Amino acid sequence: MTADLSPAERYAAARARSARDQADATGELGRFRRLLDFELDDFQADACAALEGGRGVLVAAPTGAGKTVVGEFAVHLALASGGKTFYTTPIKALSNQKFGDLVRRHGAASVGLLTGDTSINADAPVVVMTTEVLRNMLYSGSSALDGLAYVVMDEVHYLADRFRGPVWEEVIIHLPDHVQLVSLSATVSNAEEFGDWLATVRGDTAVVVSERRPVPLWQHVVTAPPEPRGAPRMFDLYAGHVDPTDPGPNPPIDPDLARMFRTHGRSGGGGGGRGRGDRGYRGRGGRRPAGGSQVPQRRTPRRFSVVESLDDDALLPAIYFIFSRAGCAGAVEQCLRAGLRLTDAEEEAEIRRVVEQRTLTIPPEDLEVLGFWSWQHALCRGIAAHHAGMLPVFKETVEELFARGLVKVVFATETLALGINMPARSVVLEKLVKWDGTAHQPVTPGEYTQLTGRAGRRGIDVEGHAVVVDHEGLDPVALAGLASRRLYPLRSSFRPTYNMAVNLVGQVGAARAREVLETSFAQFQADRGVVDLAKQAQAHAEALQGYQGAMACDRGDFAAYMGIRRAISEREKELSQAARGARRADAVASLEKLRRGDVVEVPSGRRRGYVVVLDPGRDEGGFDGPRPTVLTQEKQVKKLTLADLPDGVRAVTRVRVPKSFNPRRPDARRDLASSMRNALGARASDAGRRGGTPRGRRGGDSASDEHLQRLRADLRAHPCHACPEREDHARWAQRADRLAEEHARLVRRIEGRTGSIARTFDRTCEVLTELGYLAVEGTETVVTDPGRRLGRLYAEDDLLLAECLRRGIWDELSAPELAAAVSVVVYSARREESEPVAAAGAGARLQAALTATSHVAEELGALESAHRLSVTGTLDAGLVGPVHRWASGRRLETVLRGTDVAAGDFVRWCKQIVDVLDQLAAAAPGPELRSRARRAQDGVLRGVVAYSSL
């Protein structure tokens, strides 16, 4: 790397290293280094040195590069100085994992955990928490913030997430100025831009970027074997001379792979085995199938055979990404049916011990409904699934066993790609498309990088392997382009919420709140875009001045002359449109007059010739009129549209169409076509009946339009009309017109971006004022009592919850009914259609509350639409029955019977319901509802819901 630097740059780098080494000898970084059993990489050392120097830090590096070391150094600094560190993560699973890591390093007395429903040692000097917990602390002015010195924001690129991303920006904006921020991000292409924003809102921030993976990653494609029982074939993706650690844009692919895809499509056979340049495909076995001309069709290799092949070549453990829960479960079953076993007797015994320890608290009667026995059987063979539909304690067990090398292959959905520390030797992607909830979308470069980034365990593997399974539509050239684009931009998803608005107005007032929101990363990015647009607008303005000078005429005002020309052009266009409309109306009217048996002429196009009408098609008409069904002279049955007869039509003769006519019978079509030819022959002399419909003049005649005639007279009378350079001036004027239109569009774009977040905040405040959560007193906007209650509700549908409380819709519900009512606000089915609000099995009181809740949601949606805001989502009653039964104390088997809700999903939704019930207990206006919310919490947080730490 240094060989590429200039002498001055090498000297500066040497000076920096010398200064860092000197600081290491005496500072906390030196003491921290001595606690580690490995040497820090340069990017880690640079970031830690900046942090010790009092600066904030943004670290952007690939998955597995060791970014968290910088966060752990912040913890070290805080403990050394007597301050506090909050370590925030986007999901509870990652919080739990980080909590365990820090407890092992610093001891249980020094580390706490806060994840909304879990509180362990919350007053410790180091507390791990989800980002939402810290946001809530900031708005409530929690005393836990006293003494806070460092905040680590792990996976900070999560702020691009559409639903939860805004929380990151809220925290960054609202943290006290003295707190040093450590932001840890995946490698993004605009790290400098994000760092510039952090420097703007947080002060001096060092941006440390590393694009080097600590473990090289080899890219492969695996295809089915040429013979049915053979082993899959593994090809390198890149050509032999390409460096996989730095492939460059659109690198050439392996010639053998290219030859196979070129010679044999999905319906063809596969080419020979691996060629020269099979670097990166290591391990025992190393099958090289012999080449030959007789090759069967290309097929997608079977999942278990891919796993067997990876095992034979020492490429396990592996994460096998399948973007479907059912696909993950199916893959485990396929491996078991194939008799796949990846563990020995000693490993199986240890797996059984861990499983027994982890699941000790689950009642035996629940094991069957949870699918425990098949899950354990697969684990004992070294095979597992991992997805959001699993019971959280099952997922935690899989994570532990995989991290320890006892489980060899995990079939996982993409949720595993976020943060959880489960490195593997290989990562397999079954397809390069995934369902995003509304449609199948291609995997993006950022997603591909995140998914494959787990391949290659630092300190264990000398290289990692990313394997894409051959599948329908796979293009290896496109894959090479995808795999080589490791950088992706970070885009803000920030937007003001109702809860955010009342909290900000309550803390700093409406005017200051507006200014605070304008410091968001979203507005920062929009304003940066405005800079470029403004430069374009300035260039437009300068060019317009030049154009206006070039069109100047010494005989008169040429701009006024061009105004008359434009007016003439617009009037002629209006008249032309009117004429076309009249012709269209005449043509539609002529189609509407057709009757069964009419013979008409189609003058041009695919239907050219004579046809007989079988059905006038009036019932099929729309804006384009009827669509008659006809029989052509070639005895074909077709439909006519207005496009076939733009000038209209009329019958030239008639024939009798028998009532029994069946267009499917060739003899009937032949006889009718013969009758048409005979009728046309008898009328051949009557040429006047063969044309289109004659029409007189209708509206739109330019020769008789008085306004157009006056404009033309004004044009001829203008002094510039006689100028010999008139058309040269006109050409410059036309260029000026086009540029002026483009300039106006650009100005509208600039106006749309400038202050866009603040305008959304204003509209949000208008809704809150209309509903009584904010009030205007004199020149000030203040928060009302209902607004203060709204400020304690942080759920996604915060305003809907607040309205249900304010209107007393849930006041009469029992604790189980309240939990069920909350579920309609929280739950969102994975299927496209939501369960109607009329929930099956709900009693009259609960059903009335659900109906009222639905009406409130509709009212809010209409109000939000009127104020041009995102509309409150639809409600889903699909979990009302199960949650009501669960909160009433029923067994899990009874609760889930007859539903399609997976146990893991049920637990996950129950956790969210518990969170909202906790918020309701804090925000409810009366003591009875607060008490009922607490009882509902207790009713939901039991059994398998309480056993899980997720």
Side-chain angles (χ1 to χ4, degrees):
M1 186 76 175
T2 55
D4 298 330
L5 301 177
S6 68
E9 289 170 330
R10 286 199 295 272
Y11 175 72
R15 284 283 302 272
R17 280 195 302 273
S18 175
R20 196 172 63 212
D21 292 344
Q22 186 174 358
D24 277 2
T26 56
E28 288 300 331
L29 181 53
R31 281 187 275 276
F32 180 67
R33 276 180 183 268
R34 289 189 285 275
L35 296 173
L36 303 175
D37 55 5
F38 58 89
E39 285 297 318
L40 293 178
D41 289 343
D42 284 348
F43 86 90
Q44 295 168 324
D46 290 342
C48 290
L51 197 58
E52 188 173 10
R55 307 173 70 190
V57 179
L58 166 64
V59 182
T63 301
K67 298 183 290 290
T68 55
V69 168
V70 184
E72 289 168 3
F73 180 59
V75 171
H76 173 90
L77 286 175
L79 291 174
S81 62
K84 280 186 183 179
T85 301
F86 286 170
Y87 197 112
T88 73
T89 72
I91 56 174
K92 294 177 183 179
L94 190 53
S95 292
N96 295 331
Q97 193 171 80
K98 202 64 207 176
F99 171 68
D101 293 344
L102 291 173
V103 165
R104 283 188 288 274
R105 179 176 291 274
H106 301 288
S110 298
V111 185
L113 176 67
L114 288 173
T115 59
D117 59 350
T118 302
S119 178
I120 301 172
N121 199 16
D123 295 325
V126 180
V127 184
V128 182
M129 61 185 67
T130 51
T131 317
E132 282 88 350
V133 170
L134 177 53
R135 185 271 311 270
N136 300 350
M137 282 185 180
L138 289 167
Y139 280 147
S140 65
S142 170
S143 60
L145 297 168
D146 296 342
L148 182 62
Y150 299 92
V151 166
V152 180
M153 302 197 77
D154 206 351
E155 308 279 346
V156 74
H157 55 274
Y158 206 76
L159 65 79
D161 181 79
R162 185 161 60 97
F163 297 107
R164 295 171 60 197
V167 175
W168 270 251
E169 292 189 48
E170 289 181 75
V171 168
I172 291 170
I173 291 170
H174 296 309
L175 274 176
D177 291 341
H178 68 271
V179 176
Q180 282 181 253
L181 186 65
V182 181
S183 304
L184 308 178
S185 170
T187 312
V188 293
S189 55
N190 60 335
E192 287 76 13
E193 178 188 41
F194 186 47
D196 289 346
W197 174 69
L198 287 172
T200 301
V201 295
R202 302 294 317 158
D204 190 11
T205 301
V207 179
V208 181
V209 178
S210 174
E211 297 176 15
R212 188 186 71 84
R213 279 181 52 92
V215 179
L217 182 65
W218 298 86
Q219 305 281 345
H220 310 285
V221 174
V222 62
T223 66
E227 66 282 349
R229 294 187 178 277
R233 295 164 299 166
M234 188 93 74
F235 292 86
D236 285 330
L237 174 61
Y238 302 140
H241 65 277
V242 175
D243 180 357
T245 64
D246 187 20
N250 302 313
I253 66 171
D254 180 351
D256 289 341
L257 181 64
R259 189 177 307 113
M260 189 193 73
F261 272 78
R262 185 171 58 250
T263 308
H264 309 283
R266 289 298 300 177
S267 59
R274 300 176 51 77
R276 299 182 299 273
D278 66 340
R279 304 178 306 155
Y281 184 42
R282 312 276 195 255
R284 62 187 186 277
R287 288 173 297 279
R288 309 286 200 274
S293 57
Q294 299 299 319
V295 189
Q297 291 185 351
R298 259 180 63 212
R299 304 174 305 279
T300 297
R302 292 171 295 185
R303 292 159 175 164
F304 71 83
S305 64
V306 172
V307 175
E308 283 181 326
S309 182
L310 293 173
D311 186 33
D312 287 344
D313 293 305
L315 296 182
L316 296 181
I319 299 173
Y320 201 125
F321 282 110
I322 301 174
F323 302 123
S324 154
R325 296 181 183 184
C328 292
V332 172
E333 286 300 315
Q334 290 161 26
C335 290
L336 294 179
R337 284 200 303 270
L340 190 62
R341 179 182 288 277
L342 304 173
T343 55
D344 57 29
E346 185 178 343
E347 289 172 324
E348 180 176 344
E350 179 62 12
I351 289 169
R352 288 186 182 278
R353 189 194 65 77
V354 172
V355 168
E356 183 178 346
Q357 182 182 26
R358 280 279 191 169
T359 60
L360 195 61
T361 55
I362 300 179
E365 64 268 18
D366 286 345
L367 295 179
E368 189 68 41
V369 70
L370 294 172
F372 171 82
W373 303 110
S374 57
W375 171 71
Q376 183 189 51
H377 176 58
L379 286 179
C380 288
R381 288 175 173 261
I383 305 163
H386 189 290
H387 55 75
M390 293 172 59
L391 191 69
V393 71
F394 284 13
K395 285 193 295 182
E396 294 171 0
T397 306
V398 170
E399 290 160 15
E400 178 184 343
L401 293 173
F402 189 82
R404 292 178 55 183
L406 295 170
V407 164
K408 314 296 183 179
V409 61
V410 171
F411 295 97
T413 57
E414 63 179 321
T415 53
L416 181 60
L418 179 66
I420 302 171
N421 184 27
M422 282 181 63
R425 180 166 295 164
S426 303
V427 164
V428 182
L429 273 68
E430 184 166 78
K431 290 185 178 179
L432 294 178
V433 293
K434 64 184 184 67
W435 180 256
D436 69 351
T438 57
H440 284 95
Q441 300 289 353
V443 170
T444 66
E447 289 167 337
Y448 186 88
T449 300
Q450 190 84 350
L451 292 165
T452 59
R454 298 192 169 279
R457 298 166 297 178
R458 187 171 188 172
I460 302 174
D461 300 317
V462 295
E463 59 197 18
H465 299 266
V467 182
V468 175
V469 178
D470 184 17
H471 59 273
E472 186 72 34
L474 178 64
D475 178 354
V477 175
L479 172 59
L482 178 74
S484 62
R485 289 172 57 200
R486 295 188 182 149
L487 301 181
Y488 55 101
L490 184 62
R491 295 281 175 244
S492 172
S493 59
F494 184 81
R495 67 193 187 285
T497 65
Y498 297 110
N499 170 277
M500 185 193 307
V502 294
N503 276 302
L504 277 174
V505 171
Q507 284 184 342
V508 298
R512 175 65 183 136
R514 212 172 183 275
E515 295 172 5
V516 167
L517 292 176
E518 287 186 321
T519 65
S520 67
F521 186 43
Q523 192 60 57
F524 184 83
Q525 288 188 310
D527 290 344
R528 283 207 159 186
V530 165
V531 171
D532 292 334
L533 294 176
K535 289 179 181 177
Q536 294 180 43
Q538 185 177 355
H540 285 175
E542 294 172 356
L544 275 172
Q545 287 183 344
Y547 289 169
Q548 288 163 355
M551 65 182 259
C553 180
D554 58 2
R555 299 201 176 194
D557 185 350
F558 201 82
Y561 177 76
M562 286 302 296
I564 300 172
R565 283 178 63 151
R566 279 193 297 273
I568 290 172
S569 177
E570 290 168 2
R571 183 58 182 166
E572 288 175 339
K573 189 182 298 182
E574 290 173 4
L575 294 171
S576 176
Q577 289 173 343
R580 283 199 301 274
R583 285 197 300 273
R584 183 187 188 89
D586 285 342
V588 170
S590 71
L591 285 173
E592 290 171 344
K593 293 176 182 176
L594 291 178
R595 296 173 298 164
R596 180 179 169 93
D598 282 346
V599 177
V600 300
E601 182 183 10
V602 181
S604 61
R606 294 176 301 163
R607 310 280 189 263
R608 183 176 181 178
Y610 290 96
V611 298
V612 60
V613 177
L614 303 178
D615 181 348
R618 296 187 185 93
D619 294 339
E620 300 180 37
F623 176 71
D624 289 336
R627 301 181 63 193
T629 302
V630 300
L631 179 72
T632 70
Q633 289 173 297
E634 290 75 30
K635 300 179 284 296
Q636 294 177 321
V637 177
K638 303 288 185 182
K639 280 191 179 294
L640 295 182
T641 67
L642 191 62
D644 299 310
L645 302 161
D647 293 322
V649 67
R650 74 177 178 186
V652 298
T653 187
R654 283 184 56 76
V655 297
R656 179 178 171 276
V657 181
K659 289 185 178 179
S660 60
F661 177 78
N662 184 348
R664 296 183 180 181
R665 289 179 50 190
D667 58 333
R669 296 198 304 271
R670 184 183 62 245
D671 291 347
L672 185 58
S674 177
S675 298
M676 177 171 56
R677 284 195 299 273
N678 292 337
L680 288 168
R683 305 294 296 267
S685 58
D686 189 0
R689 296 192 181 187
R690 284 192 278 153
T693 305
R695 293 183 300 275
R697 290 191 183 276
R698 290 186 57 171
D701 189 343
S702 60
S704 60
D705 186 74
E706 294 182 2
H707 180 52
L708 180 60
Q709 297 310 314
R710 283 198 302 273
L711 287 172
R712 286 173 174 168
D714 292 345
L715 186 74
R716 289 191 295 271
H718 196 283
C720 290
H721 191 66
C723 176
E725 298 179 352
R726 180 186 69 197
E727 293 310 309
D728 286 340
H729 296 325
R731 279 190 289 273
W732 285 109
Q734 288 164 354
R735 291 176 188 173
D737 285 346
R738 286 194 296 269
L739 188 61
E741 289 177 7
E742 187 178 341
H743 183 70
R745 287 195 296 270
L746 200 61
V747 169
R748 286 194 294 272
R749 286 178 63 192
I750 291 172
E751 291 172 347
R753 291 192 180 193
T754 304
S756 55
I757 299 296
R759 284 198 301 275
T760 303
F761 173 72
D762 291 340
R763 293 196 288 269
T764 302
C765 288
E766 288 168 7
V767 168
L768 291 171
T769 302
E770 192 168 333
L771 291 173
Y773 294 95
L774 296 177
V776 179
E777 296 181 357
T779 60
E780 296 295 320
T781 299
V782 298
V783 180
T784 63
D785 286 341
R788 279 184 279 277
R789 288 193 287 273
L790 172 59
R792 301 187 192 108
L793 298 171
Y794 301 99
E796 189 173 337
D797 286 325
D798 47 8
L799 186 58
L800 176 58
L801 291 168
E803 277 294 280
C804 289
L805 291 181
R806 187 170 69 90
R807 300 187 190 194
I809 290 172
W810 297 338
D811 284 359
E812 302 304 318
L813 297 180
S814 66
E817 288 172 337
L818 179 59
V822 167
S823 78
V824 302
V825 181
V826 172
Y827 178 62
S828 176
R830 297 181 69 245
R831 59 186 180 274
E832 195 168 324
E833 302 86 11
S834 295
E835 188 79 16
V837 172
R845 184 171 56 190
L846 175 56
Q847 186 56 63
L850 296 179
T851 302
T853 303
S854 179
H855 290 160
V856 172
E858 291 171 3
E859 289 177 27
L860 292 181
L863 183 60
E864 289 164 331
S865 181
H867 287 273
R868 292 173 293 148
L869 291 170
S870 298
V871 175
T872 296
T874 56
L875 305 182
D876 192 322
L879 216 58
V880 166
V883 168
H884 185 267
R885 292 193 291 273
W886 181 253
S888 300
R890 308 289 285 277
R891 287 175 49 183
L892 184 65
E893 181 183 7
T894 305
V895 166
L896 297 182
R897 185 185 301 144
T899 74
D900 58 357
V901 180
D905 283 333
F906 179 72
V907 169
R908 182 164 54 88
W909 288 116
C910 282
K911 288 287 187 178
Q912 294 186 37
I913 291 168
V914 167
D915 285 346
V916 173
L917 287 169
D918 185 55
Q919 295 170 33
L920 293 183
E928 289 187 14
L929 187 57
R930 287 198 293 272
S931 173
R932 218 170 295 133
R934 292 293 181 206
R935 293 202 303 274
Q937 263 188 290
D938 294 339
V940 177
L941 193 61
R942 67 177 184 86
V944 291
V945 178
Y947 301 149
S948 169
S949 59
L950 290 183

